[in-house]
Amino acid sequence: MGRILAIDYGLKRTGLAVTDPLKIIATALDTVPTTELISYLEKYFSKEEVDEVVIGLPKNLNNQDTDSTPFVRKFIKTFENKFPKRKIFTHDERFTSAMAQQAMIAGGMSKKNRQNKGTVDQIAAVIILQEAMRGKV
């Protein structure tokens, strides 16, 4: 039984989260420089069984695309070409960065640690994954 991998794609860095093999628990995996994302995924997929990939899709409050959406759609095409047999779907990622910040505050994380953008990206990926998993139940 394979995992579900979530991708919070960004122009500079990308947050990744993954489920356990039973697809019960979502945890942060890593933050990767976006330029290294495809090679990171190649290595990860060679070591771990992944059944599905969920990619956060940025939307405005009015459900229109944001300035970042075309970059994510371009990445999706690249991903589909590189990994044609991988089942992927997108999930609305509105508010995930703000929710990540709130989660860090609620968890008692220091202000210095909350300023680490990589941590925010990882937690945002976890939120995307949790929300996608909730939608599948």
Side-chain angles (χ1 to χ4, degrees), residues 41-48 86:
L41 292 173
E42 287 174 324
K43 290 175 192 160
Y44 188 79
F45 292 154
S46 72
K47 294 185 290 185
E48 296 290 341
R86 295 274 172 211

Side-chain angles (χ1 to χ4, degrees), residues 106-123:
M109 190 176 281
S110 71
K111 185 174 183 177
K112 181 181 179 187
N113 288 338
R114 290 193 314 260
Q115 291 173 340
N116 180 343
K117 301 276 191 210
T119 302
V120 174
D121 295 334
Q122 284 181 31
I123 294 172

Side-chain angles (χ1 to χ4, degrees), residues 46-73:
S46 72
K47 294 185 290 185
E48 296 290 341
E49 187 177 343
V50 176
D51 290 339
E52 300 173 295
V53 177
V54 58
I55 301 172
L57 192 63
K59 294 286 188 174
N60 284 323
L61 288 175
N62 64 2
N63 208 30
Q64 298 296 312
D65 288 355
T66 70
D67 293 341
S68 299
T69 308
F71 297 104
V72 175
R73 290 189 193 282

Side-chain angles (χ1 to χ4, degrees), residues 23-94:
K23 300 178 186 170
I24 297 170
I25 300 168
T27 56
L29 176 62
D30 209 344
T31 302
V32 179
T34 299
T35 56
E36 300 171 18
L37 180 57
I38 293 294
S39 65
Y40 181 95
L41 292 173
E42 287 174 324
K43 290 175 192 160
Y44 188 79
F45 292 154
S46 72
K47 294 185 290 185
E48 296 290 341
E49 187 177 343
V50 176
D51 290 339
E52 300 173 295
V53 177
V54 58
I55 301 172
L57 192 63
K59 294 286 188 174
N60 284 323
L61 288 175
N62 64 2
N63 208 30
Q64 298 296 312
D65 288 355
T66 70
D67 293 341
S68 299
T69 308
F71 297 104
V72 175
R73 290 189 193 282
K74 182 179 177 186
F75 167 72
I76 290 170
K77 294 283 187 209
T78 301
F79 185 95
E80 289 172 333
N81 289 333
K82 187 68 182 171
F83 307 106
K85 295 184 180 182
R86 295 274 172 211
K87 182 178 177 185
I88 67 166
F89 58 98
T90 60
H91 188 78
D92 186 345
E93 70 168 29
R94 274 181 277 200

Side-chain angles (χ1 to χ4, degrees), residues 98-111:
M99 291 167 67
Q101 287 285 349
Q102 288 302 315
M104 289 189 294
I105 291 168
M109 190 176 281
S110 71
K111 185 174 183 177

